[in-house]
Amino acid sequence: MCTSIFTKTLDGKYLLSRTMDFSFPLDARPIYIPAEYKWESVADNKKHKSDYGFIGAGRLLGEGYFVADGVNEHGLSVAELYLPGEAKYQDYTESNSINLAPHEVILWLLGNMTSVEDVKKNIGTLNIVGVAAPLLNIVTPLHWIITDAEGNSTVIEPTEKHLKPKENPVGVMTNTPQLEWHIENLRNYLPVRPKQYAPETFGEYVAEPFSQGTGTMGLPGGYTPPERFVRAAFFKEHIEPAKDETEGVNNAQHILNTVRIPKGIVVTQNGEEDYSLYSGTMVNNTQTYYYTSYENHQITKLVLDKELLSKKEPIVFKYQGDTESFDVLNTRL
């Protein structure tokens, strides 16, 4: 599952935001991965080293760190989302390529790329091998949305051997089908709009709207990827523009709230609950990460500043938000 949006504030900040929807208790927390971080690919056991530090959400997975989204010190942001039934990987390694398992691609992108242009130039060197992720014990069917501090954006969907960046003029990504299908599908929702519809006359009867919101009739309300894509695109397009980073994060939360999945609403065939474990927002320009969990909607902020970049070891931050917190006004009497 998962939904991602790319937005811009009036003062020129670029924000990549996402929900992490999963049926596995991933327990991804705010995380810092330093430059010079060394890791070994499970695809071919070759060692890799990050050139740049980054922050995001992740955890220790097996003997290495797993990251689901993040922003690096150059302002490159990446989020990985599921693409089940469409993602195609290789069953062999190549000596002249960088061989990676699907869940390792984001480590390589954030640790070694500086911009979307940089990604476009180098993505062809990757050979993604269908190797299972530790602990999950499944080959994760992924695609990636990538943005930078200049406002550029691209999508990588591994549907054929050679990886090719895709343009994403809508700035939204969900899951299967492929991106092109979702963009074309928006043509089915042209009548949906924020503005109220006027009364209509039927013979001598004037049909008045029951209340406000008639323009949004036809907006899909389910949690399938196509429905979430349409909702996210509509709200992203029409929400009041954010003046600055704070308002941008607030807007992102409001948009993502339209696609967040509560527990019990989406249940897999195996009886597992697929729900929104957390949401994250990465600000490309300020290298800032904002995080909220399912259990607590208070927003936690992590900045990739010089002090943090001076740390030489990975850090998984303790998140004090396992239960909802409230500002009790009675205590101010």
Side-chain angles (χ1 to χ4, degrees):
M1 302 290 276
C2 307
T3 304
S4 182
I5 55 173
F6 185 44
T7 56
K8 179 184 178 182
T9 64
L10 294 177
D11 68 346
K13 300 295 193 309
Y14 295 101
L15 296 81
L16 177 61
S17 307
R18 63 90 51 81
T19 63
M20 166 55 80
D21 310 330
F22 210 26
S23 56
F24 179 84
L26 194 58
D27 196 30
R29 302 298 177 98
I31 192 172
Y32 162 69
I33 302 295
E36 307 296 321
Y37 170 65
K38 297 177 181 178
W39 53 281
E40 184 178 297
S41 174
V42 297
D44 59 3
N45 301 120
K46 286 189 176 180
K47 297 186 184 300
H48 298 265
K49 184 179 70 173
S50 297
D51 291 330
Y52 312 119
F54 57 91
I55 54 176
R59 59 167 291 179
L60 186 64
L61 193 65
E63 296 182 0
Y65 285 90
F66 158 82
V67 177
D69 47 67
V71 57
N72 73 13
E73 58 185 283
H74 288 277
L76 184 81
S77 293
V78 186
E80 60 181 28
L81 285 74
Y82 253 41
L83 191 66
E86 298 276 2
K88 296 180 176 63
Y89 305 129
Q90 309 312 310
D91 56 6
Y92 54 86
T93 60
E94 293 181 337
S95 59
N96 60 342
S97 298
I98 299 173
N99 300 291
L100 299 176
H103 62 278
E104 298 169 339
V105 170
I106 194 168
L107 281 174
W108 181 80
L109 288 169
L110 288 172
N112 297 278
M113 300 292 106
T114 62
S115 65
V116 167
E117 186 62 29
D118 201 11
V119 173
K120 290 180 177 180
K121 289 179 180 178
N122 292 282
I123 197 68
T125 63
L126 291 189
N127 179 51
I128 306 180
V129 185
V131 181
L135 190 62
L136 298 177
N137 296 319
I138 58 172
V139 178
T140 48
L142 301 175
H143 58 163
W144 299 268
I145 181 169
I146 306 161
T147 66
D148 66 24
E150 299 299 319
N152 303 305
S153 175
T154 193
V155 167
I156 304 296
E157 295 189 320
T159 55
E160 52 189 54
K161 176 175 171 51
H162 299 290
L163 301 177
K164 299 177 181 178
K166 295 182 178 182
E167 298 303 315
N168 186 1
V170 181
V172 174
M173 196 168 84
T174 57
N175 316 106
T176 308
Q178 295 178 42
L179 178 64
E180 296 88 346
W181 186 98
H182 286 290
I183 293 174
E184 286 290 314
N185 184 49
L186 291 175
R187 298 168 67 182
N188 288 313
Y189 297 92
L190 299 181
V192 181
R193 65 185 197 184
K195 188 177 180 180
Q196 181 83 335
Y197 279 105
E200 289 286 344
T201 299
F202 298 87
E204 297 182 358
Y205 174 70
V206 178
E208 299 279 352
F210 283 115
S211 186
Q212 295 297 319
T214 55
T216 61
M217 292 181 65
L219 193 65
Y223 288 102
T224 65
E227 290 171 297
R228 285 183 285 108
F229 190 100
V230 172
R231 278 207 307 285
F234 177 82
F235 280 90
K236 173 182 176 291
E237 184 67 25
H238 295 292
I239 196 169
E240 183 176 296
K243 298 184 183 68
D244 52 27
E245 181 171 323
T246 299
E247 288 191 7
V249 174
N250 190 43
N251 272 9
Q253 288 295 315
H254 283 297
I255 297 169
L256 293 180
N257 282 342
T258 70
V259 294
R260 271 181 163 169
I261 307 173
K263 288 182 179 181
I265 303 302
V266 175
V267 181
T268 70
Q269 290 183 329
N270 296 329
E272 299 172 325
E273 293 179 322
D274 200 317
Y275 68 99
S276 299
L277 282 71
Y278 72 85
S279 67
T281 290
M282 295 142 275
V283 184
N284 299 83
N285 317 69
T286 61
Q287 295 89 58
T288 305
Y289 188 77
Y290 296 87
Y291 174 94
T292 61
S293 71
Y294 183 89
E295 295 79 14
N296 190 337
H297 285 79
Q298 178 179 336
I299 301 174
T300 298
K301 178 179 179 180
L302 177 62
V303 182
L304 188 60
D305 56 18
K306 291 182 179 179
E307 180 181 1
L308 186 55
L309 283 168
S310 69
K311 308 298 182 184
K312 302 303 181 184
E313 297 295 331
I315 302 172
V316 178
F317 290 87
K318 293 182 179 179
Y319 176 66
Q320 306 298 326
D322 291 331
T323 57
E324 197 71 74
S325 59
F326 302 96
D327 183 8
V328 182
L329 299 181
N330 304 69
T331 60
R332 302 181 186 178
L333 294 175

